């Protein structure tokens, strides 16, 4: 006898992960909004995408290199995912919420420095 999708262990694990990623995305979007970087919530998944914040140019690779050198926060430059990614970055929602919130604060410092 087959189990229903709702009780399948793989389905339950996936649903649990989706809830975790949603919570992480919501907190990161909120904290980045607090520092002036408005991003949209993803519909699903473990990644958050965004156009570079105002005042930080359009070079996603340079932005990511400078951010990691200055604040120790690593983001993926969008260009690595094809031509539509230029000027965008990808956040992986793989760290716990407290680390993502700390990363958002560091990103906020970085953005403030870029806008001086």
């Amino acid at each position: 006898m087959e189990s229903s999708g709702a009780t399948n262990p793989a389905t339950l694990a996936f649903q649990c992960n989706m809830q975790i990623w949603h919570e992480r995305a919501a907190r990161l979007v909120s904290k980045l909004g607090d520092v002036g970087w408005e991003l949209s919530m993803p519909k699903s998944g473990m990644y958050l995408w965004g156009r570079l914040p105002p005042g930080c140019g359009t070079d996603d690779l340079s932005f990511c290199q400078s951010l990691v050198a200055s604040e120790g926060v690593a983001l993926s430059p969008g260009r690595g995912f094809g031509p539509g990614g230029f000027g965008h970055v990808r956040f992986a929602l793989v760290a716990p919420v407290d680390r993502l919130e700390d990363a958002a604060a560091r990103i906020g410092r970085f953005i403030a420095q870029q806008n001086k």
Side-chain angles (χ1 to χ4, degrees):
M1 179 197 282
E2 286 187 37
S3 65
S4 73
T7 58
N8 178 318
T11 300
L12 292 173
F14 179 75
Q15 290 170 342
C16 180
N17 284 336
M18 290 299 294
Q19 289 174 340
I20 291 168
W21 296 329
H22 179 81
E23 177 189 356
R24 290 175 180 175
R27 297 286 286 277
L28 189 56
V29 165
S30 173
K31 293 296 181 182
L32 289 171
D34 290 347
V35 299
W37 193 356
E38 300 298 326
L39 299 172
S40 299
M41 275 291 292
K43 292 181 182 174
S44 65
M46 60 183 281
Y47 300 107
L48 175 64
W49 283 87
R51 183 175 303 280
L52 292 179
C56 291
T58 60
D59 186 341
D60 52 296
L61 180 58
S62 239
F63 178 87
C64 290
Q65 290 172 330
S66 297
L67 176 62
V68 77
S70 174
E71 295 292 338
V73 176
L75 303 178
S76 298
R79 69 180 62 197
F81 302 96
F86 280 84
H88 295 78
V89 294
R90 185 181 81 169
F91 299 80
L93 303 171
V94 296
V97 169
D98 61 329
R99 289 195 54 209
L100 293 173
E101 289 178 339
D102 178 63
R106 291 169 184 238
I107 291 168
R109 280 196 307 257
F110 179 76
I111 292 170
Q113 288 296 319
Q114 298 300 301
N115 289 322
K116 280 189 173 180

